[in-house]
Amino acid sequence: MINGIIGRKVGMTQLFSEDGTVTPVTVIKAGPCVVVQTKSATGRDGYNAVQLGLVEDQPIKMKNVSKPMRGHFEKTGGGVPPTRILRELRLTDEPEAAIGDQVKADLFADGDAIEVVGKSKGRGFAGTIKRHNFQRGPMSHGSMNIRQPGSIGQSAYPSRVIKGTKSSGHMGDARVTVKGLKVAKVDAENNLIMVRGAVPGPNGGLVVVKKSDRK
């Protein structure tokens, strides 16, 4: 059974219950998606998976698809139009879906436990205080170590900077998986999923919503 869908983050809003409780939610336009390829553990791939393509409002023409991807979509027998966005989802069992099947927001229900995979916002080059929450130095008594990270080397052994030492550098723009989320509401008619809480990425960014197996 397919356990996820591709979507785009729309933004955040609020849901009001009958007793006046306010729930912050993130709206995700999930799908519709189409099954482009299936993989089986008994086949040459050696694992169970399904490849989904995001069907967008402005489809891409076959003449604008690269030659390798054109052959990939032609293997479907012509029943699947080319899509710009492709994502592969691992499955625990043999895929029951067939090539060309539609995957929509009704895959999820209210209260489902999910996890969302996206790309965080890029923050550019950042220092250690912003990037790793380092503590700054003293602000008085002639101190000139306000936002510097301090010493990162050694005078004796090993006399070098250890790999992975937290330092300044490129912040954000990385793959992030947020677990422990729940579906607050599903609007199957408009292909919208409202997730309780925040999900990574900017508005309009691509996300993958998957069912969680965590209790």
Side-chain angles (χ1 to χ4, degrees):
M1 180 179 179
I2 298 176
N3 61 351
I5 193 171
I6 312 171
R8 287 189 181 274
K9 179 179 175 180
V10 179
M12 293 198 71
T13 184
Q14 296 174 333
L15 292 180
F16 293 86
S17 60
E18 295 180 356
D19 60 354
T21 304
V22 180
T23 303
V25 296
T26 302
V27 182
I28 298 175
K29 189 178 187 306
C33 295
V34 62
V35 178
V36 179
Q37 185 184 23
T38 59
K39 297 182 179 181
S40 173
T42 58
R44 67 177 184 177
D45 297 300
Y47 63 96
N48 299 319
V50 62
Q51 187 184 70
L52 299 180
L54 179 62
V55 179
E56 299 182 279
D57 297 333
Q58 296 181 350
I60 185 173
K61 297 180 180 179
M62 185 63 80
K63 67 176 183 179
N64 296 329
V65 180
S66 63
K67 194 171 182 180
M69 294 307 299
R70 190 182 308 168
H72 181 64
F73 284 102
E74 287 176 352
K75 287 182 180 179
T76 63
V80 178
T83 58
R84 294 182 178 88
I85 309 300
L86 293 173
R87 292 293 185 273
E88 184 177 288
L89 301 177
R90 288 288 188 105
L91 304 177
T92 55
D93 302 323
E94 293 279 341
E96 300 176 358
I99 295 176
D101 286 357
Q102 290 276 338
V103 182
K104 298 183 179 181
D106 55 7
L107 176 68
F108 300 90
D110 296 358
D112 282 354
I114 60 172
E115 56 186 57
V116 178
V117 183
K119 181 174 282 190
S120 61
K121 293 181 180 179
R123 304 297 183 182
F125 188 93
T128 54
I129 294 179
K130 181 179 179 180
R131 192 183 186 200
H132 299 295
N133 297 319
F134 275 25
Q135 186 177 6
R136 66 183 181 183
M139 297 287 288
S140 60
H141 299 289
S143 172
M144 302 185 68
N145 180 21
I146 307 301
R147 295 182 70 93
Q148 285 92 333
S151 175
I152 58 175
Q154 297 82 22
S155 60
Y157 178 81
S159 299
R160 61 184 174 85
V161 178
I162 304 298
K163 288 184 178 180
T165 299
K166 292 181 178 180
S167 183
S168 306
H170 187 197
M171 180 179 177
D173 194 29
R175 177 187 171 99
V176 178
T177 301
V178 179
K179 300 184 179 182
L181 298 175
K182 281 189 176 182
V183 176
K185 186 178 179 180
V186 177
D187 185 356
E189 184 178 353
N190 297 313
N191 288 321
L192 296 178
I193 298 177
M194 300 179 192
V195 180
R196 186 179 302 170
V199 301
N203 294 344
L206 281 171
V207 294
V208 176
V209 184
K210 298 189 295 185
K211 292 185 177 182
S212 176
D213 54 357
R214 301 175 67 190
K215 295 183 180 180

